[in-house]
Amino acid sequence: MKRSILIISATILLGALAAPAGEHAEAANIGESMAVSSFALDNMFLFVCALLVIFMQPGFAILEAGLNAAKNTVNILFKNVMDLCLGALLFFLVGYSFMYGDPLLGGWIGWSGFGIDTELSEAAGGGVLHPQLNWFFQAAFAATAATIVSGAVAGRMKFVSYLVYSAVLTALVYPISGFWTWGGGWLDAMGFHDFAGSAIVHAVGGFAGLAGAIALGPRIGRFGPDGTPRAMPGHNLTFAALGVFILWFGWFGFNPGSQLAISGLEDVNAIAQVAVNTILAAAAGGLFAMFATWIAFGKPELTMALNGVLAGLVGITANCDIVSNPAAIAIGAIAGLLVVGGVKLLDRLRIDDPVGAWPVHGLCGIWGVLAAGIFGGADLGVQALGGFAIAAWAFVAMLILFFILKGLGFLRVEAEEELRGLDIGEHGEEAYSGFQVFSTQ
Amino acid sequence: MKRSILIISATILLGALAAPAGEHAEAANIGESMAVSSFALDNMFLFVCALLVIFMQPGFAILEAGLNAAKNTVNILFKNVMDLCLGALLFFLVGYSFMYGDPLLGGWIGWSGFGIDTELSEAAGGGVLHPQLNWFFQAAFAATAATIVSGAVAGRMKFVSYLVYSAVLTALVYPISGFWTWGGGWLDAMGFHDFAGSAIVHAVGGFAGLAGAIALGPRIGRFGPDGTPRAMPGHNLTFAALGVFILWFGWFGFNPGSQLAISGLEDVNAIAQVAVNTILAAAAGGLFAMFATWIAFGKPELTMALNGVLAGLVGITANCDIVSNPAAIAIGAIAGLLVVGGVKLLDRLRIDDPVGAWPVHGLCGIWGVLAAGIFGGADLGVQALGGFAIAAWAFVAMLILFFILKGLGFLRVEAEEELRGLDIGEHGEEAYSGFQVFSTQ
Amino acid sequence: MKRSILIISATILLGALAAPAGEHAEAANIGESMAVSSFALDNMFLFVCALLVIFMQPGFAILEAGLNAAKNTVNILFKNVMDLCLGALLFFLVGYSFMYGDPLLGGWIGWSGFGIDTELSEAAGGGVLHPQLNWFFQAAFAATAATIVSGAVAGRMKFVSYLVYSAVLTALVYPISGFWTWGGGWLDAMGFHDFAGSAIVHAVGGFAGLAGAIALGPRIGRFGPDGTPRAMPGHNLTFAALGVFILWFGWFGFNPGSQLAISGLEDVNAIAQVAVNTILAAAAGGLFAMFATWIAFGKPELTMALNGVLAGLVGITANCDIVSNPAAIAIGAIAGLLVVGGVKLLDRLRIDDPVGAWPVHGLCGIWGVLAAGIFGGADLGVQALGGFAIAAWAFVAMLILFFILKGLGFLRVEAEEELRGLDIGEHGEEAYSGFQVFSTQ
Amino acid sequence: MKLITAYIQPERLPAVKKALYEREVFKMSVTNALGCGQQKGYRETYRGVDIEVNLLKKIRIDIAVNEDFVERTIEGIVAGARTGKIGDGKILVTELLECIRIRTGEKGESAIG
Amino acid sequence: MKLITAYIQPERLPAVKKALYEREVFKMSVTNALGCGQQKGYRETYRGVDIEVNLLKKIRIDIAVNEDFVERTIEGIVAGARTGKIGDGKILVTELLECIRIRTGEKGESAIG
Amino acid sequence: MKLITAYIQPERLPAVKKALYEREVFKMSVTNALGCGQQKGYRETYRGVDIEVNLLKKIRIDIAVNEDFVERTIEGIVAGARTGKIGDGKILVTELLECIRIRTGEKGESAIG
Ligand SMILES: Nc1ncnc2c1ncn2[C@@H]1O[C@H](COP(=O)(O)OP(=O)(O)O)[C@@H](O)[C@H]1O
Ligand SMILES: Nc1ncnc2c1ncn2[C@@H]1O[C@H](COP(=O)(O)OP(=O)(O)O)[C@@H](O)[C@H]1O
Ligand SMILES: Nc1ncnc2c1ncn2[C@@H]1O[C@H](COP(=O)(O)OP(=O)(O)O)[C@@H](O)[C@H]1O
């Protein structure tokens, strides 16, 4: 067990003070100690926020599991576990380097070697991030982008294909568009504003999910012969609600944490505003999605209200640092309406996205970057361009991958396996042993 | 992406030190930097504690869901989600102003305009809270008070009535009695001690729940024709246990966070003592409630032990800053016995409180403020008066509201809907699709 | 509501600076304020990490519940709740004193009175821990060691015996071997390196669990008449997966928190490295356990991958501060393979450990301390000796206790009760009321 | 001997059990079932899509009885289950050729009770 | 009157219901069951141990009908349930002595519909 | 043809299946049920309130057999299920008029196996 270096430095400091000579040395010592203090505070803040973002993984896992049939539960949980396992390892190996490395190929991608630095390259101070902790925070974001997709492709995709997808997304697709803004690439140069990643994280996941849903086609029985949508209700809404609460909680690492420092006065101001905007937008999203279903379908629907909360969160993510509290409420409310419309739109297009990954993360991700222009003073043209570029990149890149897998016959499971459930077919393991579960569709 | 202001100020500082002149300026700079540092630390502490309190929401949601029938799960989850959505929006709009505004109407309520400040009105320093973060922390408390009720009225209340109740509680009832103490009102002037809200938060919720349970009457089949109570077991005790663990975890934001600062020596001392007292009281509550059921009913009962843990937590909340560790154990142990007695008392009075909201939050909330007198040296008379005033206010105010709703025919669902479950009647959505669930009562 | 002392001290400081005289006094003041600041920061770090470790309790609870039959759910949840209740109270009463007290009996145990200190005995400063918070952190570790066992003895042990076991482990067995290293005993003197407790916490729990599994014998039907193992699948893998995610999250309090301070430059460096090593080892453990099952059994198995994640976490716990990132991946990967082998080994030995407590915590706990020698430069001989001594102590001490309980006829429930489920027999309460659950074995 | 099978509303089970006990019918087997009859179902929505639920939850009761118990068993079920509303259910009676008590191997009329 | 009991594959239930509706058989009771027949089961593993699952999920349908409905009910079930693969299921027919509508007390043929 | 229905203790199912296999009865359907008989129930408490649980978990087995299999099927069930304790269960035998294999349309005795 150990003792901190600071107590020693404080002693040295006090010792130094005993000697009247060397006042400048004293002052320098004080300055250095204070810089270390700010450094420690900022890195602790980053550490805590990274943990909150990592905790979003079980949120996604049980939300997606709860919104799908019991017979596919093991499969969905497994995909979420592997998103974090693969994501951490690949983002360590190459992803981080692609995203935050030195510009290459005319600024379309970065690179600075395998793995991550282990030591500080600059003097410790406020706002200086330890490279290992910085990676830790960024890796959590990468895994989030990956895991959004697993809900959209639930119930019919082969597990091995999903692993390929997940690896490609975290190692390559997400880092590349991430580099464009956060890595200092061309979108950053144009002044594109996406504070915590409405587009960079969520739209990437949402549009990759849309590509997957299109390439796979709908689950058997999801649309009638005449194209009328048929509901395939989730098997456990308690898990779904718990998942949303966990995500809401984790989002306070996602958004406030993106300030990347708390030791300065400006940092605290920003974090305070970001936190409040985040909760207000989520609340408005949930409330308005509920009202929308109440008016449209006659009864308030829980699953839509839950999606509304997430929609509000995604919508505020890009702009939470530059909009006022009332604007945050408006942004969340509109996101709550958008998500209901987005779900209906996919039904009309006969695209089967079992958990609404695209309406929540894709559509509201774009809404988030636009709202930064509308309510936050960012250049609306640049925002639209950036949102479009990122969404298009994720959609096209992943669509190609999914169609390659389809061509190889690896994408979708057999009809019989799908009907019996992927848990038996892919994993030979069922989630609810002993419970009597119907599987009549 | 940004860099903190502090590194700049540190540089300035070091620059300034290079010049032998202006030593006072140097010292002033150092003092200012240190004040900002303490300010950042305290606000980070508040932020983290606020998150923990927000995380209590899913704890309540799944505890209440788990302790009720499967057929009412969607309804209960939905109420908990809306408590946070409505709570955040209304506490933003008016609640916070009622609770922490300037005294009005002779000190019975506060007011200082709609919404919340966005900027610091004083110099940054240790113990200075950013107004947005302060609201964030307080809003989490308001939502907690609201959500306690949803368990007490489970299984028979109309959803729309619940929304009305929830809005009135967070916007008006909770802020008013909150103002009396924490807003600097008349109870504060009398020296009433309720550190983190045994009465201000929990008794308000518990007595509002009691009012609801009385106004609604028991669920069909809860008491036999001759008045003998009949058990209506919860449908998922794993959720119930997980909920209690989450609440226990969140309580470490609730109690230690109520110190509102950590940067001073006294703050750390207080927080350390509060944290230890909190865990000890909870542990004693759980243990003694278990023993009580073992002796009284012949077998150790999990649901009562879980309630015992919560009872210990509620009991220690008012006094955790002023009692010793052994006293904390005693307070928790007594709370654990009280909760078992309280449950039996309600059964005898034929009041149906499905999750024990009143025994846990109401009864032990009062016990908490009394214990501050008995074990912590607060004036017992003032404690009794304060506890009574707050409980009576919440009970009477909400009883009136519930009876108005009853008069309008909005309060309770039809018998047939109740028997079939509120999930179908109120929301047209069931929680456990595919599972074979009996609903024979 | 209160204000911090620091703002006052800052004011005093600024006031003092106004006087040109007394520059040394000024400097002393500054030094003191900075020491308090570091003290506050370190204790806040410890507080947050302690909470994360406490939050591991529900992780264990629902993981173990999910991996067992529905008919034993209440029993398992109850055991986990009581581990924390009993653990906190007994570790308060005597455990902490045994573990961190002054050496007694030639350094085999410590003692310094009942209860814990309430005040700082030294000047506040970086790396100085408040005794109450230090206990808080350590108590969470003790409860973790205890709760590991509940999974290994699930489905057949009498509840009252479990309470006796849990009390003895947290009050006596864990503190004694804990004293050997962390309390400054003989293993510490030899230079044994176990940073966060691969052996001290996990191997103790794992080997105590093994002793329990042996003393109890297998569940009825777990092995055929000819000794072939028969699967008794867990009833809810969603809970199991959620539990693992929660444990993974909590582990970031367990490992980084064991640095016990963050205010110094070295502390931040250490914490950053520890956090990254922790996530990488877990990810590698999950991935390699999955591959192992895929190759060995033809399909990727979720429960084994979940165990692999935990195995990676246990394996890295002893050495996360002294190994490189790539070494962490290797350690995790090997742990992931070990856990699969360990499960098969127990099957071959006809030992029934329903959740794999020994393969995960016992086997990989030993692997962790060995890996500190292999990859981290610690003395391999000392590591092997320490790992062996701790494991042997926990195993033998608990085996004696379990056989005493067996001799008294208190250890195992009747066959009929076992078949019907411990929830009915021990608690008269079932976990899933209303659900139709099969119990055909 | 006869086998009497009844489909009733789930919430009527306690009343039916009570009515049967009063008529000294103590043995029965209960299963849950889904039923489709004159009672029309209800509508749910899930994510904006309509679901027509027309298989409603029912309880199935099977009782093996000797001839002299047939009437009172039927009458007891009706007494406990009838509310007068659509969905009250049906009682089906079939011939029972043999009844064996597993524990003792007893057969026929004496094995029923 | 006859009692027709069918064991079918769970995923065929919607098709069977549709086929019966088309043949004007609107009443039925549905239970879920596990079946063992010519269809061989499948293997699961749990923590490295093999499980042979040979009780497969099935749906049981019970329909009480008057004589003139027997043929078309059987035919409807077959039409909806047949895929030609092992595991399609069985239909069992037994004699129904009496049928009583609980709501009205009606008996016999008129109570069935 | 006969329809044999047995109610047994849940934990006896593997033994019953084994006994039937040994007697070359491979086909059956299994449902879970709650039973009320001579076996008295047990008491639970929930939040201090007593619950008398007198519907105990049982397993129902349905087997359609040809005449020459009736004896050995009954004997097999008894062999697997008997423990000699109250609650062991009952076997009921009814007349089966017809049996149809959905896959092939086969009828009668050949469809049973
Ligand atoms: N002909 C039948 N065959 C099988 N089950 C039936 C039949 N008629 C009714 N049932 C069962 O009885 C239940 C109640 O029938 P329903 O027609 O709604 O009631 P009522 O006879 O009071 O109008 C149905 O849900 C179904 O389970
Ligand atoms: N003799 C029988 N007794 C009871 N149930 C049977 C019998 N034969 C078949 N079944 C039921 O029918 C289902 C399908 O039977 P199976 O033999 O697999 O189909 P097929 O007749 O098409 O070969 C079985 O799973 C079982 O539930
Ligand atoms: N007359 C009956 N009608 C329907 N089911 C019965 C009847 N008698 C017994 N059972 C079923 O058999 C089970 C065992 O009956 P029980 O009387 O406890 O056993 P035993 O005959 O060995 O005394 C009951 O729980 C019930 O499910």
Side-chain angles (χ1 to χ4, degrees), chain D residues 27 29 62 64 101 103 112, chain F residues 35-36 38-39 58 87 90:
Chain D
K27 311 210 149 180
S29 295
D62 287 276
R101 189 190 307 281
R103 175 164 49 93
I112 279 219
Chain F
C36 209
Q38 282 182 39
Q39 185 187 17
K58 298 284 165 190
K90 292 270 167 72

Side-chain angles (χ1 to χ4, degrees), chain E residues 6-9 33-40 54-59 84-92, chain F residues 2-4 25-30 61-65 96 99-104 106 111-113:
Chain E
Y7 294 94
I8 61 164
Q9 296 279 33
L34 297 173
C36 210
Q38 282 182 36
Q39 185 186 15
K40 83 179 205 311
N54 54 15
L55 284 174
L56 299 170
K57 285 180 187 139
K58 298 283 165 190
I59 288 288
K85 282 192 242 161
I86 283 183
D88 274 358
K90 293 269 167 73
I91 302 174
L92 312 178
Chain F
K2 295 280 182 293
L3 178 62
I4 300 176
V25 179
F26 300 113
K27 311 211 148 179
M28 69 190 78
S29 294
V30 177
I61 304 177
D62 285 277
I63 312 177
V65 287
L96 185 60
C99 175
I100 299 134
R101 189 191 308 279
I102 293 175
R103 176 165 48 94
T104 57
E106 273 166 276
I112 279 217

Side-chain angles (χ1 to χ4, degrees), chain B residues 416 419-420 424 427-430 435-441, chain D residues 10-11 13-14 32 39 42-47 57 59 85:
Chain B
E416 201 167 332
L419 287 171
R420 184 180 280 172
I424 293 172
H427 309 290
E429 201 171 47
E430 284 169 289
F435 282 93
Q436 194 151 331
V437 183
F438 274 105
S439 50
T440 49
Q441 51 184 1
Chain D
E11 62 268 19
L13 179 62
N32 60 357
Q39 185 186 15
Y42 53 92
R43 307 190 79 73
E44 295 194 3
T45 23
Y46 178 76
R47 303 176 64 76
K57 285 181 188 139
I59 288 287
K85 281 192 241 160

Side-chain angles (χ1 to χ4, degrees), chain C residues 112-368:
Chain C
S112 46
F114 293 102
I116 46 175
D117 287 344
T118 52
E119 260 158 54
L120 274 182
S121 56
E122 44 184 333
V128 173
L129 302 179
H130 195 287
Q132 295 257 317
L133 279 180
N134 194 29
W135 174 86
F136 191 58
F137 186 70
Q138 301 298 341
F141 274 60
T144 301
T147 218
I148 288 168
V149 174
S150 68
V153 300
R156 55 212 194 277
M157 186 171 177
K158 280 204 176 147
F159 185 63
V160 66
S161 275
Y162 186 81
L163 293 185
V164 172
Y165 142 77
S166 180
V168 171
L169 191 102
T170 20
L172 207 63
V173 173
Y174 168 79
I176 288 179
S177 53
F179 175 77
W180 298 348
T181 310
W182 289 347
W186 63 277
L187 274 173
D188 187 43
M190 292 180 69
F192 179 60
H193 187 88
D194 188 1
F195 183 67
S198 280
I200 299 170
V201 180
H202 293 281
V204 164
F207 278 88
L210 183 65
I214 290 172
L216 280 161
R219 288 166 293 173
I220 298 169
R222 179 66 176 80
F223 295 99
D226 58 341
T228 45
R230 283 195 291 209
M232 301 181 87
H235 82 280
N236 193 321
L237 299 192
T238 314
F239 279 129
L242 180 57
V244 168
F245 273 119
I246 289 178
L247 287 170
W248 197 343
F249 175 65
W251 228 285
F252 292 110
F254 208 92
N255 284 3
S258 292
Q259 178 67 13
L260 302 179
I262 196 170
S263 67
L265 190 55
E266 293 308 305
D267 295 321
V268 177
N269 283 340
I271 289 162
Q273 185 187 350
V274 165
V276 173
N277 281 344
T278 301
I279 196 172
L280 290 177
L287 199 67
F288 277 75
M290 177 186 79
F291 285 141
T293 62
W294 211 330
I295 291 164
F297 317 137
K299 286 190 177 171
E301 213 189 288
L302 177 62
T303 47
M304 278 291 196
L306 294 175
N307 271 357
V309 167
L310 297 181
L313 289 165
V314 172
I316 200 69
T317 293
N319 49 57
C320 46
D321 60 326
I322 50 172
V323 303
S324 67
N325 297 159
I329 296 177
I331 292 169
I334 294 169
L337 301 177
L338 278 176
V339 80
V340 177
V343 167
K344 297 303 280 179
L345 178 67
L346 289 185
D347 269 359
R348 189 142 312 169
L349 298 173
R350 296 183 200 177
I351 296 171
D352 180 19
D353 175 355
V355 304
W358 179 77
V360 170
H361 301 277
L363 187 60
C364 293
I366 299 298
W367 164 237

Side-chain angles (χ1 to χ4, degrees), chain B residues 169-261:
Chain B
L169 191 102
T170 20
L172 208 63
V173 173
Y174 168 78
I176 287 180
S177 52
F179 176 77
W180 298 348
T181 310
W182 289 347
W186 64 276
L187 275 172
D188 186 45
M190 291 180 70
F192 178 61
H193 188 88
D194 187 1
F195 182 67
S198 280
I200 298 169
V201 180
H202 293 281
V204 164
F207 279 88
L210 183 65
I214 291 173
L216 279 161
R219 286 166 294 172
I220 298 168
R222 179 66 177 79
F223 295 99
D226 58 342
T228 45
R230 284 195 289 210
M232 301 181 88
H235 82 280
N236 193 322
L237 300 193
T238 314
F239 280 129
L242 179 58
V244 168
F245 272 119
I246 288 177
L247 287 170
W248 197 342
F249 174 66
W251 229 286
F252 292 110
F254 209 92
N255 285 3
S258 292
Q259 178 68 12
L260 301 179

Side-chain angles (χ1 to χ4, degrees), chain A residues 141 144-145 148 174 177 181-182 192-207 251 254-255 258 278 281 310-321 331 335 357-373 383 386-388 390-391 394, chain B residues 1:
Chain A
F141 275 61
T144 302
I148 289 168
Y174 168 79
S177 53
T181 310
W182 289 346
F192 178 60
H193 187 90
D194 187 2
F195 182 67
S198 279
I200 298 169
V201 179
H202 293 281
V204 163
F207 278 88
W251 228 285
F254 208 93
N255 284 3
S258 291
T278 301
L310 296 182
L313 288 165
V314 172
I316 201 70
T317 293
N319 49 59
C320 45
D321 61 325
I331 291 169
W358 179 77
V360 170
H361 300 276
L363 188 60
C364 293
I366 298 298
W367 163 238
V369 291
L370 294 180
Q383 294 301 105
F388 175 78
I390 292 171
Chain B
M1 302 260 126

